[in-house]
Amino acid sequence: MNREYKTLMVTGGAGFMGSNFIRYAFRTAGFKGRILNVDKLTYAGDKENLADLASESETGRYRLLQHDICDHEAMSRIVRDERVDGIVNFAAESHVDRSIAAAQAFGATNVLGTLTLLEAARAAWGDRRDVLFHQISTDEVYGSCPEPREFAEDDRYEPSSPYAASKAAADHMVRSFGVTHGFPYAITHATNNYGPYQTPEKLIPLVLTRLYAQETIPVYGKGDNVREWLFVDDHTSAVWTVITRGKAGESYNIGSGERLTNLDLIHGLGREVAARTGRAPDFFKALMKFVVDRPGHDKRYALNAEKLRRRLGWKPAVSFDQGLKATVAWYGQNEAWMARARTRLGNWLKAEGTAWAKRRS
Ligand SMILES: NC(=O)c1ccc[n+]([C@@H]2O[C@H](COP(=O)([O-])OP(=O)(O)OC[C@H]3O[C@@H](n4cnc5c(N)ncnc54)[C@H](O)[C@@H]3O)[C@@H](O)[C@H]2O)c1
């Protein structure tokens, strides 16, 4: 089956993965309908991330609506009055360290916000089954994955951080609407994404901003935690595949199989920045500083993404080597974007930063 949408509501579309998804929909997938980007514009959201969609804005095919997804009245009105026929829920508090410092916002946006969207959609959609609610979830809901296993979709949830627990709770809410009401949904669990427009509190952009500025790079513990890295365009193409051709009521893992320790990752980024800037190949080693490990830090993530490959024919198109080079180049060429993102983070720290977050900054 091929699902088509007239009006897609993308929440959190001013953030890293959501903005890449919206751009892909118009520029790569050839989407002919409208996209409503519902975003609260927290410290993580920047409307300039989609400044290149000026022509779609002029024709009304792209609109940014600044709202909190916990706002029941606004969400209900938008889904009903704008005749939304698909929702892709990217909006979230997304940074694990912040959830350790202060978890309440994670409960609000990730759990209550998802529930608010589900209720708004169910009220507007009734018994319609030609619509879809797509929940963007994470590999972190499964918890740490022991060697040499890979987690599949039917593995049990064992979230370690308040962030992962809030995402797990949201998934349970989505699935419960499917079981209880026959509500049409899909869920995708992705591994760590990287690429352009990622806020420099996450590992790769954090390391890159520090490397370019020649500042200290904090490394948790021994740097031996393993993450599976997925280029953001591959995540986007996977989500597009699922919302157009996936089966309602199913969940799919999205992974690349490219697994690295944090130390190997930082070394790779350092060598690439050195090559681009003409610095000594190991200049980055003097910047690295091992810091106290993150409490509850999952040791390893590893997903089995065979279901998505076998059933829907999706596979990643960008190797880690290609993605890393493209990402290092993008951050090197977008200094103004980086400066703005760092200012937003700094402002947040001044206004709301907790002792833990300040220690890490
Ligand atoms: N980054 C990753 O590696 C990764 C991996 C797997 C899954 N995910 C999931 O993907 C989604 C997007 O992640 P990201 O890295 O792009 O996040 P991000 O932090 O870059 O962006 C989140 C966006 O959501 C918006 N937002 C936050 N609270 C909101 C609210 N209450 N109402 C409306 N908008 C709100 C922010 O303004 C921002 O634009 C999240 O659901 C996250 O859990 C992320």
Side-chain angles (χ1 to χ4, degrees), residues 11-19 37-46 49 67-70 89-95 105 108-110 113 135-140 163 167 188-194 197-199 201-202 229 235:
T11 70
F16 162 51
M17 288 155 63
S19 61
N37 175 4
V38 174
D39 197 299
K40 187 179 168 185
L41 297 180
T42 68
Y43 77 95
D46 183 355
N49 287 355
H67 289 288
D68 187 330
I69 58 166
C70 299
N89 183 27
F90 284 92
E93 286 292 335
S94 67
H95 191 41
T109 290
N110 301 2
Q135 177 69 1
I136 303 292
S137 184
T138 163
D139 57 357
E140 299 194 28
Y163 161 70
K167 294 295 290 183
T188 45
H189 304 280
T191 60
N192 281 44
N193 273 233
Y194 69 101
Y197 301 102
Q198 187 168 29
T199 306
E201 62 184 354
K202 306 281 169 52
W229 291 100
H235 177 262

Side-chain angles (χ1 to χ4, degrees), residues 230 233-234 237-238 241 255-256 305 308-309 312-318:
L230 179 71
D233 287 355
D234 281 332
S237 72
T241 302
S256 63
L308 188 53
R309 286 174 198 247
L312 300 178
W314 173 87
K315 61 177 188 330
V318 181

Side-chain angles (χ1 to χ4, degrees), residues 144-164:
S144 195
C145 184
E147 283 272 17
R149 285 201 57 203
E150 295 177 332
F151 283 139
E153 289 80 356
D154 55 1
D155 269 294
R156 68 180 241 208
Y157 280 23
E158 233 174 306
S160 305
S161 69
Y163 161 70

Side-chain angles (χ1 to χ4, degrees), residues 48-125:
E48 293 301 310
N49 287 355
L50 288 168
D52 54 321
L53 294 188
S55 64
E56 285 82 0
S57 294
E58 269 165 30
T59 56
R61 291 185 60 219
Y62 168 71
R63 270 161 64 205
L64 172 66
L65 307 173
Q66 188 173 355
H67 289 288
D68 187 330
I69 58 166
C70 299
D71 182 338
H72 191 269
E73 195 276 323
M75 294 308 106
S76 303
R77 178 169 38 76
I78 293 169
V79 181
R80 184 188 60 234
D81 295 355
E82 300 284 352
R83 298 169 186 263
V84 167
D85 52 6
I87 298 175
V88 187
N89 183 27
F90 284 92
E93 286 292 335
S94 67
H95 191 41
V96 174
D97 284 345
R98 285 169 188 269
S99 80
I100 294 168
Q104 205 174 15
F106 290 72
T109 290
N110 301 2
V111 187
L112 186 60
T114 302
L115 185 53
T116 305
L117 291 170
L118 287 166
E119 289 198 319
R122 197 169 86 81
W125 290 346

